C-alpha cells in the first residue's frame, strides 16, 4: 500500500474560509463517488459550516477526561479501522489533550498518511514554526500551537485561501466568525487591518516560495535551461572592489520594484589559488547583502563571464547587475572586459544593467594574490604574437615592402619580440627572437635564401637583436614575478591580519573559520581531525562542506598541526606557496578549538559551582529551617503522649494547633524545595490557556492565615485575559504575596492590584516594609537568598526564586521596584491573551 496524499488549505488568519473550502471539496469528491469521511471538523456553532457537514459521514470521536473536564479528539484508531479513501482533519497545528495517542494532530495525520489514506487538512500561516517570531512581532501574540514547516512543505497540494483584510473584518462584524459579544474585542486587537495585511503578505510570500520550489524541481527534472521570468531574481556580480556596495544597493532597489524580488550576490573565485579580493571587503559586502535580505554565493570559475552567466541561468535569474569596468581605456586593447562580455552573451532572456560608480576607469590598483600572474589568456596571446607575428610580418615585408632596409626590418621584428615579452613573458619572447633572426637571415640578409651571413656587420646586428630581445623578455618576466610575489604577500598579509584580528576579538567560531578556509582556497570541504594518540582512529572536531574526509590520508591537502591534529581539505591540490597561509589557518583553528573547549569546561565548572552552592544552602536549610518545625511537632506530640501531665482541652487544642502549624510550614518548605528542583532540571511544562485574573489571584491568597486583614485586593473586572498556566501563576502570586505580608509592618495592608498596558497585564504587589536597596534587588530572586535578618525567621529563601521561575515559564517577568514612600513593589508582567476568550480558528462560509 502506498503512502496517502496530503492536501492543505492554508489561510492568513481565522475566518478566511479554510474549513468551508475543505468541506466543499469533500462534497465534490463524494459526488464523484470517492469514499470520504470527516475525521475531525468542529463547526463551533457557525450555521453555514454546520450545514456543510450535512451529508458527510463523520467518524466518532474519542472522549478524554483532563483536569475534571471532558474533551473530544479525533479517534485515529476508528479512522484506521474505517479505512476510507479520504479523511478530513481540521486544524493541523492543534495540540491534543494529554492522554491522546499523539501529542500533536499533525502526528495523527502522519499515521493516516502512512496507512495509505489521503488527508485534507487546514492550517493558518501563523502556526508555522519558523514564523513564530515574525508573527509575534506583528501581532504581539506568541502562537503556542505550531506545526513544523517541513510537515506542510511535504504536502502534495497546498491551496491558499485568500481574503482581503476589509472583507474579513466585514465577515467578523456580521458575526460569521465569532459570537457577537466577542466581535468588538477581536476587531480592535488581533483582527486590526495592519495585522491582517501583514499576515496576508506572509501567507502569499510563503506560498510563492513553495511554488518556486515546484518550479525549480520541474525545470531540473525536464532539463529546462531557458530562463522563465516567473519572478524577479537579480544577480549582482561583485569583485571585492570598492564598487561592490554601490552595486548591491542598486540591485536591492531594483528588487523592491517588483513583488517578491530576490537579490543574489555572486563572487567568482578562480580555481588556481587564493582569492583575488580582500577577504575583509568580501565579508563586509556579504554582510551588506544579507542585511538587505539577499543571499551571498561564491562560485569557482576561471572564466568570470561564463561563470556569471551559468550561475544566473542556474538560479533562473531575470536580471544581472554589474559595475562598469575599472580598467583604464588603454587596457581595452586586450579584450572587451567582463561587463561587456556578459552583456553580449546574455541573450534575450537576461537583462544586464551596467552601473556607473566612483572607481570606474581608475584602474584596479595592486591586484590580489593571483592578479599579477600573466594568466593563461596572456600567455596564449604572447605565443601567438611570438610565433605568428614574425611569419605575418615576413609575408608583409617580402610582398609589399621589400626595400625597407635591414635596419628597419630588424626594428620591426624586435617590436614583435618586445610585444611577445610583454604579453607572454620569457619563452614566447625567446621563440620570437629566434624565429625572427632566422627569418631575417633567410629573407633579408645577403646571401638571401640561405642561413649564412656575408657581411660581418649583419652578424653584429642580429646578435644585438637577439640580445635586446632576451634582455627585454627577462626584465618583463622578472617584473611579472616580482609583482606576483608582492601581490601574493599583500593578499596573504590581508588574510592573516583579518584572521588574527577576528580570532583575538572572539568574533569567529570554529565552523566560521573552516568556512573561511573553504572559501579562500576554493575547496569542496574542510575538516579539522584529531586523535588521542599514535595508532588511534581519527575523529572529526569540526567540518564544513559536503562529504568531509575522515582521515588525513584521504584528503587532497593535509596540513598537520602538532602530533595528533590535522587540517584536511578536499577539492584540489594546492601549490606549495599557498601552504604558508594554510598553516596559519590550521594553527588558528586549533586555538579556536581549544578556546571552545575551555569555555565548555568553564561552563561545566560554573554549573558544578552553582550546584555545590545550592547543595550547601540546602544542607543549611535542612539543618535549621526544616528541623525547627520538626522540633516543634516532636515536642507537641511528646507532650500529648505524656502520662505525667493531665492536659486540659484548651492545652490539647493549643498543642494540636502547634502540630498543624509546624506541618503546614514543613509542607510549604518542601513544596518550595521541590518546585526549585523542577526549575533547576527544566521539567516545568506549562499548560498555557487564556484565563481571567479573578480566577487566579483570590485563590493564591487562600494560603494566608487571615487574607482579609492583611491584603487589599484591587482587580478591575474589565481587564483582558492572560495566556498563562493557571497553577503556576497561582503559586507565583502566592509566594510573592506571602513574602510581602512577611515583611510588612503590623497593621499595614499589602495592596495587590492589576492593570493593562499595551499587550501586557501587570500584577503589582505593594508592601510598606523596609524595602530593598537597588544593588540587592536582583539577588533576592536567587535561590536560598534572604535579605537582612529575615526577622520572622521562616523559609529558606526559595519563595521569590520559585515565583520568578514560574513567571518566566509562562512567558512573563517578575521584577522588584521601590514603593513610593517606602517599601517594595513586586511587578508581575504577563502577556495578554490574543482575544478575550478562547476563539477557535474555523472559518465561516463565504
Amino acid at each position: 500500500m502506498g503512502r496517502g496524499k496530503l492536501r492543505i488549505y492554508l489561510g492568513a488568519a481565522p475566518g478566511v474560509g479554510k474549513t468551508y473550502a475543505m468541506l466543499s471539496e469533500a462534497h465534490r469528491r463524494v459526488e464523484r463517488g470517492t469514499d470520504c469521511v470527516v475525521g475531525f471538523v468542529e463547526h463551533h456553532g457557525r450555521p453555514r459550516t454546520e450545514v456543510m457537514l450535512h451529508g458527510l459521514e463523520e467518524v466518532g470521536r474519542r472522549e478524554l477526561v483532563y483536569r475534571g473536564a471532558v474533551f473530544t479528539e479525533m479517534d485515529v484508531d476508528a479512522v484506521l479501522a474505517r479505512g476510507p479513501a479520504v479523511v478530513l482533519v481540521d486544524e493541523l497545528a492543534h495540540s491534543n489533550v494529554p492522554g491522546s495517542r499523539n501529542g500533536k494532530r499533525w502526528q495523527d495525520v502522519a499515521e493516516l498518511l502512512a496507512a495509505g489514506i489521503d488527508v485534507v487538512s487546514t492550517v493558518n500561516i501563523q502556526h508555522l514554526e519558523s514564523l513564530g517570531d515574525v508573527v509575534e512581532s506583528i501581532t504581539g501574540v506568541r502562537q503556542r500551537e505550531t506545526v513544523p514547516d517541513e510537515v506542510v512543505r511535504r504536502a502534495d497540494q497546498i491551496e491558499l485561501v485568500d481574503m482581503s483584510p476589509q472583507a474579513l473584518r466585514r465577515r467578523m462584524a456580521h458575526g460569521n466568525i465569532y459570537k457577537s459579544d466577542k466581535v468588538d474585542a477581536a476587531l480592535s486587537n488581533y483582527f486590526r487591518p495592519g495585522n491582517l495585511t501583514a499576515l496576508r503578505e506572509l501567507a502569499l510570500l510563503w506560498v510563492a516560495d513553495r511554488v518556486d520550489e515546484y518550479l525549480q524541481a520541474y525545470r531540473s527534472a525536464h532539463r529546462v535551461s531557458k530562463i522563465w521570468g516567473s519572478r524577479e531574481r537579480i544577480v549582482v556580480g561583485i569583485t571585492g572592489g570598492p564598487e561592490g556596495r554601490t552595486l548591491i544597493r542598486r540591485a536591492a532597489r531594483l528588487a523592491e520594484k517588483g513583488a517578491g524580488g530576490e537579490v543574489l550576490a555572486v563572487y567568482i573565485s578562480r580555481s588556481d589559488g587564493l582569492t583575488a579580493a580582500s577577504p575583509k571587503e568580501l565579508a563586509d559586502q556579504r554582510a551588506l547583502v544579507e542585511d538587505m535580505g539577499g543571499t551571498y554565493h561564491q562560485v569557482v570559475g576561471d572564466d568570470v563571464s561564463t561563470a556569471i552567466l551559468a550561475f544566473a541561468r542556474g538560479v533562473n535569474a531575470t536580471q544581472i547587475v554589474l559595475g562598469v569596468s575599472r580598467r583604464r581605456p588603454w587596457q581595452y586593447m586586450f579584450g572587451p572586459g567582463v561587463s561587456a562580455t556578459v552583456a553580449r552573451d546574455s541573450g534575450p532572456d537576461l537583462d544586464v544593467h551596467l552601473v556607473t560608480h566612483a572607481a570606474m576607469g581608475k584602474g584596479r590598483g595592486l591586484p590580489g594574490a593571483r592578479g599579477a600572474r600573466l594568466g593563461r589568456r596572456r600567455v596564449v596571446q604572447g605565443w601567438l604574437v611570438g610565433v605568428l607575428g614574425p611569419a605575418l610580418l615576413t609575408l608583409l615585408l617580402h610582398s609589399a615592402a621589400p626595400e625597407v632596409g635591414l635596419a628597419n626590418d630588424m626594428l620591426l621584428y624586435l617590436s614583435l619580440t618586445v610585444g611577445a615579452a610583454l604579453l607572454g613573458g620569457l619563452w614566447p619572447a625567446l621563440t620570437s627572437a629566434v624565429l625572427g633572426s632566422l627569418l631575417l637571415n633567410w629573407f633579408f640578409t645577403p646571401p638571401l635564401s640561405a642561413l649564412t651571413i656575408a657581411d660581418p656587420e649583419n652578424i653584429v646586428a642580429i646578435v644585438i637583436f637577439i640580445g635586446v630581445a632576451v634582455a627585454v623578455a627577462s626584465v618583463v618576466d622578472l617584473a611579472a614575478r616580482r609583482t606576483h610575489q608582492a601581490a601574493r604577500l599583500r593578499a596573504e598579509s590581508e588574510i592573516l591580519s583579518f584572521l588574527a584580528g577576528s580570532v583575538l576579538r572572539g568574533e569567529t567560531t570554529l565552523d566560521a573559520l573552516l568556512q573561511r578556509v573553504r572559501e579562500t582556497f576554493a575547496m569542496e570541504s574542510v575538516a579539522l581531525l584529531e586523535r588521542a594518540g599514535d595508532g588511534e582512529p581519527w575523529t572529526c572536531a569540526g567540518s564544513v562542506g559536503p562529504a568531509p574526509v575522515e582521515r588525513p590520508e584521504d584528503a587532497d591537502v593535509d596540513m598537520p598541526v602538532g602530533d595528533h591534529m590535522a587540517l584536511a581539505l578536499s577539492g584540489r591540490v594546492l601549490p606549495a606557496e599557498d601552504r604558508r597561509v594554510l598553516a596559519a589557518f590550521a594553527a588558528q583553528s586549533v586555538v579556536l578549538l581549544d578556546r571552545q573547549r575551555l569555555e565548555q569546561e568553564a561552563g561545566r565548572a560554573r554549573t558544578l559551582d552553582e550546584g555545590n552552592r545550592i547543595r550547601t544552602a540546602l544542607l543549611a536549610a535542612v539543618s535549621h529551617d526544616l528541623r525547627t518545625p520538626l522540633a516543634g511537632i516532636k515536642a507537641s506530640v511528646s507532650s500529648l503522649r505524656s502520662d505525667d501531665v493531665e492536659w486540659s482541652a484548651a492545652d490539647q487544642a493549643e498543642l494540636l494547633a502547634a502540630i498543624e502549624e509546624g506541618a503546614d510550614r514543613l509542607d510549604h518548605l518542601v513544596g518550595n524545595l521541590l518546585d526549585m528542583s523542577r526549575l533547576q532540571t527544566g521539567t516545568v511544562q506549562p499548560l498555557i490557556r487564556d484565563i481571567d485574573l479573578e480566577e487566579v489571584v483570590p485563590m493564591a491568597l487562600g494560603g494566608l492565615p487571615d487574607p482579609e486583614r492583611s491584603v487589599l485586593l484591587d482587580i478591575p473586572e474589565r481587564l483582558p485575559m492572560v495566556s498563562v498556566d493557571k497553577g503556576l501563576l497561582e503559586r507565583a502570586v502566592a509566594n510573592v504575596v506571602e513574602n510581602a505580608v512577611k515583611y510588612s509592618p503590623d497593621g499595614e495592608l499589602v495592596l495587590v492590584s492589576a492593570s493593562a498596558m499595551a499587550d501586557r497585564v501587570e500584577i503589582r504587589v505593594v508592601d510598606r516594609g523596609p524595602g530593598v536597596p537597588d544593588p540587592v534587588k536582583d539577588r533576592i530572586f536567587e535561590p536560598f537568598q534572604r535579605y537582612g535578618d529575615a526577622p520572622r525567621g521562616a523559609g529558606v529563601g526559595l519563595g521569590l526564586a520559585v515565583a520568578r521561575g514560574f513567571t518566566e515559564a509562562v512567558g512573563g517577568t517578575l521584577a522588584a521596584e521601590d514603593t513610593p514612600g517606602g517599601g517594595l513593589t513586586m511587578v508581575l508582567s504577563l502577556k495578554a491573551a490574543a482575544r478575550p476568550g478562547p476563539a477557535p480558528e474555523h472559518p465561516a462560509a463565504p
Side-chain angles (χ1 to χ4, degrees):
M1 179 182 296
R3 180 179 176 83
K5 294 183 178 181
L6 174 61
R7 178 171 182 169
I8 293 178
Y9 288 92
L10 177 69
V16 296
K18 304 181 301 300
T19 305
Y20 192 92
M22 178 179 67
L23 294 173
S24 298
E25 175 64 20
H27 280 287
R28 285 192 291 271
R29 297 196 182 199
V30 170
E31 290 173 1
R32 294 196 301 265
T34 304
D35 183 13
C36 181
V37 302
V38 176
F40 189 97
V41 173
E42 190 69 55
H43 58 77
H44 294 285
R46 300 172 183 170
R48 296 186 179 182
T49 305
E50 185 177 4
V51 168
M52 291 297 294
L53 283 169
H54 295 166
L56 296 176
E57 177 186 349
E58 296 189 52
V59 178
R61 301 181 185 181
R62 182 184 178 189
E63 293 187 350
L64 297 165
V65 179
Y66 180 68
R67 293 189 174 182
V70 178
F71 298 88
T72 60
E73 296 287 0
M74 181 176 64
D75 193 336
V76 179
D77 291 325
V79 175
L80 292 174
R82 170 65 174 76
V86 181
V87 62
L88 308 184
V89 182
D90 208 3
E91 296 179 345
L92 187 63
H94 171 75
S95 296
N96 293 331
V97 174
S100 301
R101 181 188 186 97
N102 296 302
K104 294 285 190 177
R105 186 163 291 166
W106 62 263
Q107 295 172 325
D108 296 337
V109 169
E111 283 196 41
L112 299 177
L113 293 173
I117 301 174
D118 293 347
V119 177
V120 183
S121 187
T122 64
V123 72
N124 281 329
I125 191 67
Q126 63 263 36
H127 293 297
L128 293 182
E129 201 168 71
S130 66
L131 299 178
D133 294 338
V134 179
V135 173
E136 183 178 14
S137 66
I138 294 171
T139 64
V141 179
R142 183 70 180 184
Q143 297 295 330
R144 298 293 178 181
E145 293 187 331
T146 60
V147 59
D149 288 47
E150 188 59 28
V151 173
V152 183
R153 287 184 180 276
R154 284 202 303 264
D156 298 276
Q157 296 182 58
I158 299 177
E159 183 171 332
L160 178 66
V161 182
D162 189 29
M163 178 176 289
S164 68
Q166 294 77 12
L168 183 57
R169 285 172 59 85
R170 283 197 301 271
R171 175 179 286 185
M172 173 73 70
H174 293 160
N176 293 335
I177 302 176
Y178 297 152
K179 294 181 179 179
S180 58
D181 59 339
K182 300 176 182 178
V183 169
D184 290 340
L187 290 175
S188 59
N189 289 281
Y190 194 87
F191 285 82
R192 292 193 299 268
N195 288 0
L196 296 177
T197 302
L199 291 173
R200 186 189 189 198
E201 182 180 17
L202 274 180
L204 291 171
L205 291 176
W206 196 91
V207 173
D209 287 338
R210 175 65 172 164
V211 173
D212 189 60
E213 291 176 10
Y214 280 129
L215 179 62
Q216 292 291 352
Y218 179 86
R219 284 167 51 85
S220 176
H222 292 79
R223 302 181 182 276
V224 178
S225 59
K226 184 180 179 181
I227 292 176
W228 291 353
S230 55
R231 141 183 215 183
E232 289 296 338
R233 273 195 182 84
I234 302 172
V235 171
V236 51
I238 59 176
T239 64
E243 77 281 2
R245 299 170 188 269
T246 302
L247 302 183
I248 292 169
R249 293 189 177 97
R250 180 62 59 85
R253 290 197 297 271
L254 289 173
E256 290 174 357
K257 294 180 180 179
E262 184 180 357
V263 176
L264 301 91
V266 59
Y267 172 73
I268 307 301
S269 170
R270 298 185 185 275
S271 62
D272 57 350
L274 296 171
T275 57
S278 165
K280 183 179 185 306
E281 183 63 28
L282 275 179
D284 292 342
Q285 293 182 15
R286 177 175 187 168
L288 177 61
V289 171
E290 293 172 350
D291 288 343
M292 292 187 170
T295 56
Y296 173 86
H297 305 267
Q298 186 160 328
V299 177
V300 177
D302 291 323
D303 190 321
V304 177
S305 305
T306 302
I308 289 178
L309 288 171
F311 175 82
R313 290 193 169 94
V315 299
N316 199 31
T318 57
Q319 302 180 57
I320 298 177
V321 174
L322 299 173
V324 176
S325 178
R326 284 180 284 144
R327 296 191 302 174
R328 299 187 185 278
W330 62 268
Q331 291 178 304
Y332 283 97
M333 64 182 295
F334 300 111
V338 173
S339 302
T341 304
V342 171
R344 182 193 64 199
D345 298 339
S346 60
D349 51 355
L350 261 174
D351 295 334
V352 179
H353 302 267
L354 299 183
V355 179
T356 58
H357 51 86
M360 63 180 183
K362 295 184 178 180
R364 295 180 176 273
L366 288 177
R370 289 182 305 239
R373 292 181 179 177
L374 295 178
R376 182 179 301 176
R377 179 178 296 180
R378 283 190 58 182
V379 172
V380 170
Q381 291 174 351
W383 280 105
L384 291 175
V385 172
V387 175
L388 297 181
L392 294 176
L393 180 60
T394 302
L395 180 61
L396 178 63
L397 294 176
H398 194 267
S399 60
E403 303 297 334
V404 171
L406 181 59
N408 292 328
D409 293 338
M410 294 181 63
L411 289 175
L412 291 174
Y413 279 103
L414 182 60
S415 64
L416 288 177
T417 303
V418 172
L422 292 173
L423 288 174
L426 179 60
W427 292 109
L430 288 177
T431 303
S432 177
V434 171
L435 184 58
S437 62
L438 292 176
L439 292 174
L440 279 170
N441 192 345
W442 183 269
F443 289 100
F444 305 105
T445 305
L448 301 180
S449 302
L451 294 177
T452 58
I453 301 175
D455 189 349
E457 294 181 358
N458 293 338
I459 297 178
V460 174
I462 291 179
V463 170
I464 294 174
F465 167 76
I466 296 176
V468 170
V470 172
V472 171
S474 299
V475 170
V476 171
D477 184 70
L478 179 62
R481 284 188 288 112
R482 291 290 183 266
T483 305
H484 164 64
Q485 292 172 0
R488 172 169 287 277
L489 291 175
R490 176 192 173 191
E492 290 179 1
S493 64
E494 288 180 351
I495 291 172
L496 295 177
S497 174
F498 176 73
L499 171 65
S502 60
V503 172
L504 290 175
R505 292 190 300 269
E507 298 174 352
T508 305
T509 63
L510 179 60
D511 288 344
L513 181 64
L514 296 181
Q515 182 64 32
R516 175 70 64 186
V517 175
R518 182 189 177 200
E519 293 180 355
T520 300
F521 295 97
M523 289 293 179
E524 293 179 1
S525 64
V526 179
L528 181 62
L529 306 176
E530 63 175 343
R531 59 181 177 181
D534 295 335
E536 296 293 327
W538 290 93
T539 59
C540 181
S543 64
V544 295
V549 298
E550 299 179 355
R551 299 184 307 165
E553 303 86 51
D554 300 333
D556 294 316
V557 181
D558 168 23
M559 177 57 66
V561 188
D563 296 330
H564 303 122
M565 300 195 76
L567 193 65
L569 291 77
S570 298
R572 63 188 182 85
V573 178
L574 285 181
E577 55 191 0
D578 286 346
R579 296 182 68 88
R580 181 170 61 251
V581 177
L582 182 60
F585 273 109
Q588 292 286 17
S589 64
V590 174
V591 171
L592 271 179
L593 180 62
D594 291 341
R595 188 175 71 186
Q596 288 182 3
R597 289 176 174 173
L598 286 174
E599 290 175 350
Q600 293 172 359
E601 290 293 333
R604 284 193 288 267
R606 284 193 295 270
T607 302
L608 291 174
D609 181 68
E610 179 69 15
N612 289 333
R613 188 181 68 81
I614 291 178
R615 280 192 292 271
T616 302
L618 181 58
L619 289 174
V622 172
S623 65
H624 179 268
D625 296 280
L626 295 181
R627 292 182 64 182
T628 299
L630 281 174
I633 294 172
K634 174 66 175 176
S636 299
V637 171
S638 299
S639 298
L640 289 173
R641 290 173 56 89
S642 176
D643 298 332
D644 300 336
V645 180
E646 187 69 29
W647 301 102
S648 65
D651 292 335
Q652 290 180 1
E654 184 177 353
L655 291 173
L656 290 173
I659 293 173
E660 184 178 10
E661 181 182 355
D664 289 340
R665 287 180 60 187
L666 278 177
D667 180 67
H668 182 70
L669 293 173
V670 171
N672 274 340
L673 288 172
L674 292 176
D675 289 339
M676 197 68 233
S677 174
R678 291 170 61 203
L679 289 170
Q680 293 284 345
T681 56
T683 56
V684 176
Q685 297 293 332
L687 180 62
I688 304 297
R689 300 205 173 194
D690 295 348
I691 63 170
D692 198 321
L693 286 181
E694 292 183 348
E695 302 176 18
V696 179
V697 178
M699 296 291 294
L701 306 182
L704 297 176
D706 193 358
E708 294 183 357
R709 295 187 178 181
S710 58
V711 178
L712 175 62
L713 198 59
D714 181 18
I715 307 294
E717 295 182 358
R718 297 183 63 83
L719 277 179
M721 304 181 78
V722 292
S723 296
V724 295
D725 183 297
K726 181 179 179 181
L728 296 183
L729 179 60
E730 182 180 325
R731 290 295 303 276
V733 173
N735 281 4
V736 172
V737 174
E738 179 187 350
N739 184 79
V741 171
K742 182 193 305 181
Y743 286 95
S744 289
D746 293 335
E748 289 284 350
L749 295 180
V750 172
L751 173 63
V752 180
S753 63
S755 60
M757 182 180 296
D759 61 343
R760 310 290 292 182
V761 175
E762 289 187 349
I763 302 175
R764 306 181 76 86
V765 181
V766 184
D767 66 59
R768 293 295 179 177
V772 176
D774 289 338
V776 188
K777 282 187 171 65
D778 283 334
R779 292 216 313 268
I780 62 176
F781 295 104
E782 296 179 4
F784 305 104
Q785 296 291 324
R786 288 186 293 179
Y787 175 65
D789 295 329
R792 307 197 181 176
V796 295
L798 284 177
L800 293 182
V802 170
R804 172 173 274 190
F806 282 173
T807 304
E808 292 177 348
V810 299
T813 60
L814 175 59
E817 299 177 355
D818 292 328
T819 301
L824 189 69
T825 299
M826 292 289 183
V827 182
L828 288 87
S829 179
L830 306 170
K831 187 179 298 183
R835 45 190 183 271
E841 299 181 355
H842 290 278

